[in-house]
Coordinates of all heavy atoms in Angstrom, one line a residue:
M1 N 31.1 -57.3 13.9 CA 31.6 -57.1 12.5 C 30.6 -57.8 11.5 O 30.3 -59.0 11.7 CB 33.0 -57.7 12.3 CG 33.6 -57.4 11.0 SD 35.2 -58.2 10.8 CE 34.7 -59.8 10.4
T2 N 30.2 -57.1 10.5 CA 29.3 -57.8 9.5 C 30.1 -58.0 8.3 O 30.8 -57.0 7.7 CB 28.1 -57.0 9.2 OG1 28.5 -55.7 8.8 CG2 27.2 -56.9 10.4
D3 N 30.2 -59.2 7.8 CA 30.9 -59.5 6.5 C 29.9 -59.6 5.4 O 29.0 -60.4 5.4 CB 31.7 -60.8 6.7 CG 32.6 -61.0 5.5 OD1 32.4 -60.5 4.4 OD2 33.7 -61.6 5.7
C4 N 30.1 -58.7 4.4 CA 29.1 -58.6 3.3 C 29.2 -59.8 2.4 O 28.3 -60.0 1.6 CB 29.3 -57.3 2.6 SG 30.9 -57.2 1.8
G5 N 30.3 -60.5 2.4 CA 30.5 -61.7 1.5 C 31.1 -61.4 0.2 O 31.1 -60.3 -0.3
C6 N 31.7 -62.4 -0.4 CA 32.4 -62.3 -1.6 C 31.6 -61.9 -2.8 O 32.0 -61.1 -3.6 CB 33.1 -63.7 -2.0 SG 34.4 -64.1 -0.9
D7 N 30.3 -62.3 -2.9 CA 29.5 -62.0 -4.0 C 29.3 -60.5 -4.1 O 29.5 -59.9 -5.1 CB 28.1 -62.7 -3.9 CG 28.2 -64.2 -4.2 OD1 29.3 -64.6 -4.7 OD2 27.3 -64.9 -3.9
K8 N 28.9 -59.9 -3.0 CA 28.7 -58.5 -3.0 C 30.0 -57.7 -3.2 O 30.1 -56.8 -4.0 CB 28.1 -58.0 -1.6 CG 27.8 -56.5 -1.6 CD 27.1 -56.1 -0.3 CE 27.1 -54.5 -0.3 NZ 26.5 -54.0 0.9
A9 N 31.1 -58.1 -2.5 CA 32.4 -57.5 -2.7 C 32.8 -57.4 -4.1 O 33.2 -56.4 -4.7 CB 33.4 -58.1 -1.8
K10 N 32.7 -58.6 -4.8 CA 33.2 -58.7 -6.2 C 32.2 -58.0 -7.1 O 32.6 -57.3 -8.1 CB 33.3 -60.1 -6.6 CG 34.6 -60.7 -6.0 CD 34.9 -62.1 -6.3 CE 36.2 -62.5 -5.7 NZ 36.5 -63.9 -5.5
A11 N 30.9 -58.0 -6.8 CA 30.0 -57.3 -7.7 C 30.1 -55.8 -7.6 O 29.9 -55.1 -8.6 CB 28.5 -57.7 -7.3
E12 N 30.6 -55.3 -6.5 CA 30.6 -53.8 -6.3 C 32.1 -53.3 -6.3 O 32.3 -52.1 -6.1 CB 30.0 -53.5 -5.0 CG 28.5 -53.8 -5.0 CD 27.7 -53.3 -3.8 OE1 28.3 -52.8 -2.9 OE2 26.5 -53.4 -3.9
L13 N 33.0 -54.2 -6.7 CA 34.4 -53.8 -6.6 C 34.7 -52.7 -7.6 O 35.4 -51.7 -7.2 CB 35.3 -55.0 -7.0 CG 36.8 -54.9 -6.8 CD1 37.1 -54.5 -5.3 CD2 37.5 -56.1 -7.2
E14 N 34.1 -52.7 -8.8 CA 34.4 -51.7 -9.8 C 33.9 -50.3 -9.3 O 34.6 -49.3 -9.3 CB 33.7 -52.0 -11.1 CG 34.1 -51.1 -12.2 CD 34.6 -51.9 -13.4 OE1 34.9 -53.1 -13.3 OE2 34.7 -51.3 -14.4
E15 N 32.7 -50.3 -8.7 CA 32.1 -49.0 -8.2 C 33.0 -48.6 -7.0 O 33.2 -47.4 -6.8 CB 30.7 -49.2 -7.7 CG 29.7 -49.1 -8.8 CD 29.0 -50.4 -9.1 OE1 29.7 -51.4 -9.0 OE2 27.8 -50.4 -9.4
Y16 N 33.4 -49.5 -6.2 CA 34.3 -49.2 -5.0 C 35.6 -48.5 -5.5 O 36.0 -47.5 -4.9 CB 34.6 -50.5 -4.3 CG 35.5 -50.3 -3.1 CD1 35.1 -49.7 -1.9 CD2 36.8 -50.8 -3.2 CE1 35.9 -49.5 -0.9 CE2 37.7 -50.6 -2.1 CZ 37.2 -50.0 -0.9 OH 38.1 -49.8 0.1
L17 N 36.2 -49.1 -6.5 CA 37.4 -48.5 -7.1 C 37.2 -47.1 -7.6 O 38.1 -46.3 -7.6 CB 38.0 -49.4 -8.2 CG 38.6 -50.7 -7.7 CD1 38.8 -51.6 -8.9 CD2 39.9 -50.5 -7.0
H18 N 36.0 -46.8 -8.1 CA 35.8 -45.5 -8.7 C 35.1 -44.6 -7.7 O 34.6 -43.5 -8.1 CB 34.9 -45.7 -10.0 CG 35.6 -46.5 -11.1 ND1 35.0 -47.3 -11.9 CD2 36.9 -46.5 -11.4 CE1 35.8 -47.9 -12.7 NE2 37.0 -47.4 -12.5
D19 N 35.0 -45.0 -6.5 CA 34.4 -44.1 -5.4 C 33.0 -43.8 -5.8 O 32.5 -42.7 -5.5 CB 35.2 -42.8 -5.3 CG 36.4 -43.0 -4.4 OD1 36.3 -43.8 -3.4 OD2 37.4 -42.3 -4.6
E20 N 32.2 -44.8 -6.3 CA 30.9 -44.5 -6.7 C 29.9 -45.1 -5.7 O 28.6 -45.1 -5.9 CB 30.6 -45.1 -8.1 CG 31.3 -44.2 -9.1 CD 31.4 -44.9 -10.5 OE1 30.9 -46.1 -10.6 OE2 31.9 -44.3 -11.4
L21 N 30.3 -45.7 -4.6 CA 29.4 -46.4 -3.7 C 29.0 -45.4 -2.5 O 29.8 -44.5 -2.2 CB 30.1 -47.6 -3.0 CG 30.3 -48.8 -3.9 CD1 31.1 -49.9 -3.1 CD2 29.0 -49.4 -4.3
Q22 N 27.9 -45.7 -1.9 CA 27.5 -45.1 -0.7 C 28.6 -45.4 0.4 O 29.2 -46.4 0.3 CB 26.2 -45.6 -0.1 CG 25.0 -45.5 -1.1 CD 24.4 -44.1 -1.1 OE1 24.3 -43.5 -0.1 NE2 24.1 -43.6 -2.3
A23 N 28.8 -44.4 1.3 CA 29.9 -44.6 2.3 C 29.7 -45.9 3.1 O 30.7 -46.6 3.3 CB 29.9 -43.4 3.2
T24 N 28.5 -46.3 3.4 CA 28.2 -47.5 4.2 C 28.6 -48.7 3.4 O 29.2 -49.7 3.9 CB 26.8 -47.6 4.7 OG1 25.9 -47.3 3.6 CG2 26.5 -46.5 5.8
D25 N 28.2 -48.7 2.1 CA 28.6 -49.9 1.3 C 30.1 -50.0 1.1 O 30.7 -51.0 1.2 CB 27.9 -49.7 -0.1 CG 26.4 -50.1 -0.1 OD1 26.1 -50.9 0.8 OD2 25.7 -49.6 -0.9
A26 N 30.7 -48.8 0.9 CA 32.2 -48.8 0.7 C 32.9 -49.4 1.9 O 33.8 -50.1 1.8 CB 32.7 -47.4 0.4
E27 N 32.3 -49.1 3.1 CA 32.9 -49.6 4.3 C 32.8 -51.1 4.4 O 33.7 -51.8 4.8 CB 32.2 -49.0 5.6 CG 32.8 -47.6 6.0 CD 31.9 -46.9 7.0 OE1 31.3 -47.6 7.8 OE2 31.9 -45.7 6.9
D28 N 31.6 -51.6 4.0 CA 31.4 -53.1 4.0 C 32.4 -53.7 3.1 O 33.0 -54.8 3.4 CB 30.0 -53.4 3.4 CG 28.9 -53.2 4.5 OD1 29.2 -52.9 5.6 OD2 27.7 -53.2 4.1
I29 N 32.6 -53.2 1.9 CA 33.6 -53.8 0.9 C 35.0 -53.7 1.5 O 35.7 -54.7 1.5 CB 33.5 -53.0 -0.4 CG1 32.1 -52.9 -1.0 CG2 34.4 -53.7 -1.4 CD1 31.4 -54.2 -1.3
A30 N 35.3 -52.5 2.0 CA 36.7 -52.4 2.6 C 36.9 -53.4 3.7 O 38.0 -54.0 3.8 CB 36.9 -51.0 3.1
E31 N 35.9 -53.6 4.6 CA 36.0 -54.5 5.7 C 36.2 -56.0 5.1 O 37.0 -56.7 5.6 CB 34.7 -54.4 6.5 CG 34.7 -55.3 7.8 CD 35.7 -54.7 8.8 OE1 35.8 -53.4 8.9 OE2 36.3 -55.4 9.5
H32 N 35.4 -56.3 4.1 CA 35.5 -57.6 3.6 C 36.9 -57.9 2.9 O 37.5 -58.9 3.1 CB 34.4 -57.9 2.5 CG 34.5 -59.2 1.9 ND1 34.0 -60.4 2.5 CD2 35.0 -59.6 0.7 CE1 34.2 -61.4 1.7 NE2 34.9 -61.0 0.7
I33 N 37.4 -56.9 2.2 CA 38.6 -57.0 1.5 C 39.8 -57.3 2.5 O 40.7 -58.1 2.2 CB 38.9 -55.8 0.6 CG1 38.0 -55.8 -0.6 CG2 40.4 -55.7 0.2 CD1 38.0 -54.5 -1.4
K34 N 39.7 -56.6 3.6 CA 40.7 -56.8 4.6 C 40.8 -58.2 5.1 O 41.8 -58.7 5.5 CB 40.4 -55.9 5.8 CG 41.3 -54.7 5.9 CD 41.1 -54.0 7.3 CE 39.8 -53.2 7.3 NZ 39.5 -52.6 8.7
N35 N 39.6 -58.9 5.1 CA 39.6 -60.2 5.7 C 39.5 -61.4 4.7 O 39.4 -62.5 5.1 CB 38.4 -60.3 6.6 CG 38.5 -59.4 7.8 OD1 39.4 -59.5 8.6 ND2 37.6 -58.4 7.8
C36 N 39.6 -61.0 3.4 CA 39.4 -62.1 2.4 C 40.5 -62.0 1.4 O 40.7 -61.0 0.7 CB 38.0 -61.9 1.7 SG 37.8 -63.1 0.4
T37 N 41.4 -63.1 1.4 CA 42.5 -63.1 0.5 C 42.1 -63.0 -1.0 O 42.7 -62.3 -1.8 CB 43.3 -64.4 0.7 OG1 43.4 -64.7 2.1 CG2 44.7 -64.2 0.1
S38 N 41.0 -63.7 -1.3 CA 40.6 -63.8 -2.7 C 40.2 -62.4 -3.2 O 40.6 -61.9 -4.2 CB 39.5 -64.8 -2.8 OG 38.7 -64.6 -4.0
C39 N 39.3 -61.7 -2.4 CA 38.9 -60.4 -2.8 C 40.0 -59.4 -2.7 O 40.0 -58.4 -3.5 CB 37.7 -60.0 -2.0 SG 36.2 -61.0 -2.3
D40 N 40.9 -59.6 -1.8 CA 42.0 -58.6 -1.6 C 42.9 -58.7 -2.9 O 43.3 -57.6 -3.4 CB 42.9 -59.0 -0.4 CG 44.0 -58.1 -0.2 OD1 43.7 -56.8 -0.2 OD2 45.1 -58.5 -0.1
S41 N 43.2 -59.8 -3.4 CA 44.0 -59.9 -4.6 C 43.3 -59.3 -5.8 O 43.8 -58.7 -6.7 CB 44.5 -61.3 -4.9 OG 43.5 -62.2 -5.2
E42 N 41.9 -59.6 -5.9 CA 41.2 -59.0 -7.0 C 41.1 -57.5 -6.9 O 41.2 -56.8 -7.9 CB 39.7 -59.6 -7.0 CG 39.3 -60.0 -8.4 CD 38.0 -60.7 -8.4 OE1 38.1 -61.9 -8.0 OE2 37.0 -60.1 -8.8
H43 N 41.0 -57.0 -5.6 CA 41.0 -55.5 -5.4 C 42.4 -55.0 -5.8 O 42.4 -53.9 -6.5 CB 40.8 -55.3 -3.9 CG 40.9 -53.8 -3.6 ND1 41.8 -53.3 -2.7 CD2 40.1 -52.7 -4.0 CE1 41.7 -52.0 -2.6 NE2 40.7 -51.6 -3.3
H44 N 43.4 -55.7 -5.5 CA 44.8 -55.2 -5.8 C 44.9 -55.1 -7.4 O 45.5 -54.1 -7.9 CB 45.8 -56.1 -5.3 CG 47.2 -55.7 -5.6 ND1 47.8 -54.6 -5.0 CD2 48.2 -56.2 -6.4 CE1 49.0 -54.4 -5.5 NE2 49.3 -55.4 -6.3
V45 N 44.5 -56.1 -8.1 CA 44.5 -56.1 -9.5 C 43.7 -54.9 -10.0 O 44.2 -54.1 -10.9 CB 44.0 -57.4 -10.1 CG1 43.8 -57.3 -11.6 CG2 44.9 -58.5 -9.8
G46 N 42.6 -54.7 -9.5 CA 41.7 -53.5 -9.9 C 42.4 -52.2 -9.7 O 42.3 -51.3 -10.5
V47 N 43.1 -52.0 -8.5 CA 43.7 -50.8 -8.2 C 44.9 -50.5 -9.2 O 45.0 -49.4 -9.8 CB 44.3 -50.8 -6.8 CG1 45.2 -49.6 -6.5 CG2 43.2 -50.8 -5.8
V48 N 45.7 -51.5 -9.5 CA 46.8 -51.4 -10.4 C 46.3 -51.0 -11.8 O 46.8 -50.1 -12.4 CB 47.6 -52.7 -10.4 CG1 48.6 -52.7 -11.6 CG2 48.3 -53.0 -9.1
L49 N 45.2 -51.7 -12.2 CA 44.6 -51.5 -13.5 C 44.1 -50.1 -13.6 O 44.4 -49.4 -14.6 CB 43.5 -52.5 -13.7 CG 43.0 -52.8 -15.1 CD1 44.2 -53.2 -16.0 CD2 41.9 -53.8 -15.1
T50 N 43.3 -49.7 -12.6 CA 42.7 -48.3 -12.6 C 43.8 -47.2 -12.7 O 43.7 -46.3 -13.5 CB 41.8 -48.2 -11.4 OG1 40.8 -49.2 -11.3 CG2 41.1 -46.8 -11.4
Q51 N 44.8 -47.4 -11.8 CA 45.8 -46.4 -11.8 C 46.6 -46.3 -13.1 O 46.9 -45.2 -13.6 CB 46.8 -46.7 -10.6 CG 46.2 -46.4 -9.3 CD 47.1 -46.8 -8.1 OE1 48.0 -47.5 -8.3 NE2 46.7 -46.3 -6.9
A52 N 46.9 -47.5 -13.6 CA 47.7 -47.5 -14.9 C 46.9 -46.9 -16.0 O 47.4 -46.2 -16.8 CB 48.0 -49.0 -15.2
V53 N 45.6 -47.2 -16.1 CA 44.7 -46.6 -17.1 C 44.6 -45.1 -17.0 O 44.8 -44.4 -17.9 CB 43.3 -47.3 -17.1 CG1 42.4 -46.5 -18.0 CG2 43.4 -48.7 -17.5
Q54 N 44.4 -44.7 -15.7 CA 44.3 -43.2 -15.5 C 45.6 -42.5 -15.9 O 45.6 -41.4 -16.4 CB 44.0 -43.0 -14.0 CG 42.5 -43.2 -13.7 CD 42.2 -43.2 -12.2 OE1 43.1 -43.1 -11.4 NE2 41.0 -43.2 -11.9
R55 N 46.8 -43.1 -15.6 CA 48.0 -42.5 -15.9 C 48.3 -42.4 -17.4 O 48.9 -41.5 -17.8 CB 49.1 -43.3 -15.1 CG 50.3 -42.4 -14.6 CD 51.2 -43.1 -13.7 NE 51.2 -44.6 -13.9 CZ 51.2 -45.5 -12.9 NH1 51.1 -45.1 -11.7 NH2 51.2 -46.7 -13.2
A56 N 48.0 -43.5 -18.1 CA 48.5 -43.6 -19.4 C 47.4 -43.5 -20.5 O 47.7 -43.7 -21.7 CB 49.3 -44.9 -19.6
C57 N 46.2 -43.3 -20.2 CA 45.1 -43.4 -21.2 C 45.2 -42.3 -22.2 O 44.6 -42.5 -23.3 CB 43.8 -43.3 -20.5 SG 43.4 -41.8 -19.7
K58 N 46.0 -41.3 -22.0 CA 46.2 -40.3 -23.0 C 47.1 -40.7 -24.1 O 47.0 -40.2 -25.2 CB 46.7 -39.0 -22.4 CG 45.6 -38.2 -21.7 CD 46.2 -37.0 -20.9 CE 45.1 -36.4 -20.0 NZ 45.7 -35.5 -19.0
E59 N 48.0 -41.6 -23.8 CA 49.0 -42.0 -24.7 C 48.7 -43.3 -25.4 O 49.0 -43.5 -26.6 CB 50.4 -42.2 -24.0 CG 50.9 -40.9 -23.4 CD 51.6 -41.2 -22.1 OE1 52.3 -42.2 -22.0 OE2 51.5 -40.4 -21.2
T60 N 48.0 -44.2 -24.7 CA 47.7 -45.5 -25.3 C 46.2 -45.8 -25.3 O 45.5 -45.4 -24.3 CB 48.4 -46.6 -24.4 OG1 49.7 -46.1 -24.1 CG2 48.6 -47.9 -25.2
A61 N 45.8 -46.5 -26.3 CA 44.4 -46.9 -26.3 C 44.1 -47.8 -25.1 O 44.9 -48.7 -24.8 CB 44.1 -47.7 -27.6
P62 N 43.0 -47.6 -24.4 CA 42.7 -48.3 -23.1 C 42.7 -49.9 -23.3 O 43.2 -50.6 -22.4 CB 41.3 -47.8 -22.7 CG 41.2 -46.5 -23.4 CD 42.0 -46.5 -24.6
E63 N 42.2 -50.3 -24.4 CA 42.2 -51.8 -24.6 C 43.6 -52.4 -24.7 O 43.9 -53.4 -24.1 CB 41.4 -52.2 -25.9 CG 40.0 -51.6 -26.0 CD 40.1 -50.2 -26.6 OE1 40.8 -49.9 -27.6 OE2 39.5 -49.3 -26.0
V64 N 44.5 -51.7 -25.4 CA 45.9 -52.2 -25.5 C 46.5 -52.2 -24.2 O 47.2 -53.1 -23.7 CB 46.6 -51.3 -26.5 CG1 48.1 -51.7 -26.5 CG2 46.0 -51.3 -27.9
L65 N 46.3 -51.0 -23.5 CA 46.9 -50.9 -22.1 C 46.4 -52.0 -21.2 O 47.2 -52.6 -20.4 CB 46.6 -49.5 -21.6 CG 47.3 -49.2 -20.3 CD1 48.7 -48.9 -20.6 CD2 46.6 -48.0 -19.6
R66 N 45.1 -52.2 -21.2 CA 44.5 -53.2 -20.4 C 45.2 -54.6 -20.6 O 45.5 -55.3 -19.6 CB 43.0 -53.3 -20.7 CG 42.2 -54.1 -19.7 CD 40.7 -53.9 -19.9 NE 40.0 -54.6 -18.9 CZ 39.7 -55.9 -18.9 NH1 40.1 -56.7 -19.9 NH2 39.0 -56.5 -18.0
D67 N 45.4 -54.9 -21.8 CA 46.0 -56.2 -22.1 C 47.4 -56.2 -21.6 O 47.9 -57.2 -21.0 CB 46.1 -56.4 -23.6 CG 44.7 -56.8 -24.2 OD1 43.8 -57.1 -23.4 OD2 44.5 -56.7 -25.4
Q68 N 48.2 -55.1 -21.7 CA 49.5 -55.1 -21.2 C 49.6 -55.2 -19.7 O 50.4 -56.0 -19.2 CB 50.2 -53.7 -21.6 CG 50.5 -53.6 -23.1 CD 51.0 -52.2 -23.5 OE1 51.0 -51.3 -22.6 NE2 51.4 -52.1 -24.7
V69 N 48.7 -54.5 -19.0 CA 48.6 -54.6 -17.6 C 48.3 -56.0 -17.1 O 48.9 -56.5 -16.2 CB 47.6 -53.5 -17.0 CG1 47.5 -53.7 -15.5 CG2 48.1 -52.1 -17.3
L70 N 47.3 -56.6 -17.7 CA 46.8 -57.9 -17.3 C 48.0 -58.9 -17.5 O 48.2 -59.8 -16.7 CB 45.6 -58.3 -18.1 CG 44.3 -57.7 -17.7 CD1 43.2 -58.1 -18.6 CD2 43.9 -58.1 -16.3
A71 N 48.7 -58.8 -18.6 CA 49.8 -59.6 -18.9 C 50.9 -59.5 -17.8 O 51.5 -60.5 -17.3 CB 50.4 -59.3 -20.3
R72 N 51.1 -58.2 -17.4 CA 52.1 -58.0 -16.4 C 51.7 -58.6 -15.0 O 52.5 -59.2 -14.3 CB 52.4 -56.5 -16.2 CG 53.7 -56.2 -15.6 CD 53.9 -54.7 -15.6 NE 53.8 -54.0 -16.9 CZ 53.6 -52.8 -17.1 NH1 53.5 -51.9 -16.0 NH2 53.4 -52.3 -18.3
I73 N 50.4 -58.5 -14.7 CA 49.9 -59.0 -13.5 C 50.0 -60.5 -13.5 O 50.4 -61.1 -12.5 CB 48.4 -58.6 -13.3 CG1 48.4 -57.1 -12.9 CG2 47.8 -59.4 -12.2 CD1 47.1 -56.4 -13.1
R74 N 49.7 -61.2 -14.6 CA 49.8 -62.6 -14.7 C 51.2 -63.1 -14.5 O 51.5 -64.0 -13.8 CB 49.3 -63.1 -16.1 CG 47.8 -63.2 -16.1 CD 47.2 -64.0 -17.2 NE 45.9 -63.5 -17.6 CZ 45.7 -62.7 -18.7 NH1 46.7 -62.4 -19.5 NH2 44.5 -62.3 -19.0
E75 N 52.1 -62.3 -15.1 CA 53.5 -62.6 -14.9 C 53.9 -62.5 -13.4 O 54.6 -63.4 -12.9 CB 54.3 -61.5 -15.7 CG 55.7 -62.0 -16.2 CD 56.3 -60.9 -17.1 OE1 55.8 -60.7 -18.2 OE2 57.2 -60.3 -16.6
M76 N 53.5 -61.4 -12.8 CA 53.8 -61.3 -11.4 C 53.3 -62.4 -10.5 O 53.9 -62.9 -9.6 CB 53.1 -60.0 -10.8 CG 54.0 -58.7 -11.0 SD 52.9 -57.2 -10.9 CE 52.0 -57.6 -9.4
Q77 N 52.1 -62.8 -10.9 CA 51.4 -63.9 -10.0 C 52.0 -65.3 -10.3 O 51.8 -66.2 -9.5 CB 49.9 -63.9 -10.3 CG 49.2 -62.7 -9.7 CD 47.7 -62.6 -10.0 OE1 47.3 -63.2 -11.0 NE2 47.0 -61.9 -9.2
S78 N 52.7 -65.4 -11.4 CA 53.2 -66.8 -11.7 C 54.5 -67.0 -11.1 O 55.1 -68.1 -11.1 CB 53.4 -66.9 -13.3 OG 54.4 -66.1 -13.7
H79 N 55.1 -65.9 -10.4 CA 56.4 -66.1 -9.7 C 56.2 -66.5 -8.3 O 55.2 -66.2 -7.7 CB 57.2 -64.8 -9.8 CG 57.7 -64.5 -11.1 ND1 58.4 -65.3 -11.9 CD2 57.5 -63.4 -11.9 CE1 58.7 -64.8 -13.1 NE2 58.1 -63.6 -13.1
Ligands
LIG101 ZN1 35.8 -62.3 -0.5

């Protein structure tokens, strides 16, 4: 197993979320996320954010929505 490391995982997380990576790179990131709590939680936040924006971007300005989602995530994490 090769672990690509947090730096690469976090740098490429956005592309990973948008399916913009080469398959081999995406596999590296997926593998790392599975084994790294820090990157896993960052990935989870990214997934929630991406889905929420995709779902609601027609009704709400993305910046407003982003703030709302981030506030909700912070609330979740503080419990
Ligand atoms: Zn990591």
Side-chain angles (χ1 to χ4, degrees):
M1 186 186 82
T2 54
D3 192 330
C4 62
C6 290
D7 286 348
K8 180 177 171 179
K10 285 181 178 160
E12 297 188 353
L13 189 60
E14 188 124 348
E15 279 113 324
Y16 177 72
L17 286 167
H18 296 145
D19 276 328
E20 288 166 1
L21 287 176
Q22 304 279 320
T24 49
D25 281 334
E27 275 169 32
D28 283 351
I29 308 296
E31 186 71 37
H32 178 82
I33 286 169
K34 256 192 283 175
N35 296 299
C36 177
T37 319
S38 162
C39 291
D40 182 52
S41 63
E42 226 171 286
H43 175 245
H44 181 68
V45 169
V47 169
V48 171
L49 197 60
T50 304
Q51 287 174 347
V53 169
Q54 282 170 351
R55 215 169 23 224
C57 64
K58 284 174 191 164
E59 297 144 37
T60 318
E63 307 82 48
V64 175
L65 186 75
R66 188 171 187 277
D67 288 347
Q68 287 172 357
V69 172
L70 284 175
R72 201 175 309 159
I73 288 164
R74 278 195 211 102
E75 207 175 289
M76 275 161 47
Q77 286 177 339
S78 70
H79 291 304

